[in-house]
Amino acid sequence: MNVSDNAILVADDLSDQERTLLELTATPAATLLGAVSMILRTTLFSEDPAAWVDMWQARPDLARVEWMDGPELTSVVAHLAAKDYEGTIEGVPGLRITSCDDNSAKMLWLGASTPVVLQLTRQLS
């Protein structure tokens, strides 16, 4: 593979522009989305695939996950919520359910210095 773009950064340290961008994107919400995607990718969406999935951070303290069809919302919420099985933690550590109905749910992640709200929405085709 030949990568010949002269704009590719090769320095051993971050540029000021990179640092600024990381402050905007490397947030607690992004960390939570990483943990959520690992669980959903490897378990729920492989068994009953969604037509599409979208994840994004609306703010540093607000993450959103939306999908069409696929697993029921209550199944996803139950799977993501932190659980203690005789000392073995499953789900996303620190993730608590705050509300859930047929179409949307809110969860709160306590794994960062500032709690992060996770909003989940299941669309139907």
Side-chain angles (χ1 to χ4, degrees), residues 3 6 8 12-13 20-22 25 34 38 46 51 54 60 68 71 75-76 81 87 90 92 97 103 112-113 117 123:
V3 180
N6 291 334
I8 294 175
D12 292 338
D13 197 11
T20 300
L21 185 57
L22 279 174
T25 59
M38 288 296 293
S46 61
D54 195 7
M68 179 171 280
S75 297
V76 172
E90 292 189 7
V92 176
I97 302 168
N103 300 316
S113 58
V117 173
Q123 306 285 336

Side-chain angles (χ1 to χ4, degrees), residues 23-59:
E23 288 175 10
L24 297 173
T25 59
T27 66
T31 300
L32 174 58
L33 287 174
V36 165
S37 68
M38 288 296 293
I39 291 175
L40 295 183
R41 177 187 59 84
T42 58
T43 55
L44 291 178
F45 291 112
S46 61
E47 296 169 12
D48 183 15
W52 54 262
V53 179
D54 195 7
M55 298 182 181
W56 69 98
Q57 60 175 335
R59 299 187 314 256

Side-chain angles (χ1 to χ4, degrees), residues 48-52 66-74 101-104 120-125:
D48 183 15
W52 54 262
E66 244 181 64
W67 68 94
M68 179 171 280
D69 299 328
E72 296 289 329
L73 183 66
T74 54
D101 60 34
D102 291 340
N103 300 316
S104 65
L120 300 116
T121 306
R122 179 178 184 240
Q123 306 285 336
L124 297 174
S125 57

Side-chain angles (χ1 to χ4, degrees), residues 99-120:
S99 67
C100 184
D101 60 34
D102 291 340
N103 300 316
S104 65
K106 280 190 180 179
M107 302 181 82
L108 186 65
W109 186 51
L110 306 173
S113 58
T114 301
V116 178
V117 173
L118 174 63
Q119 295 179 344
L120 300 116

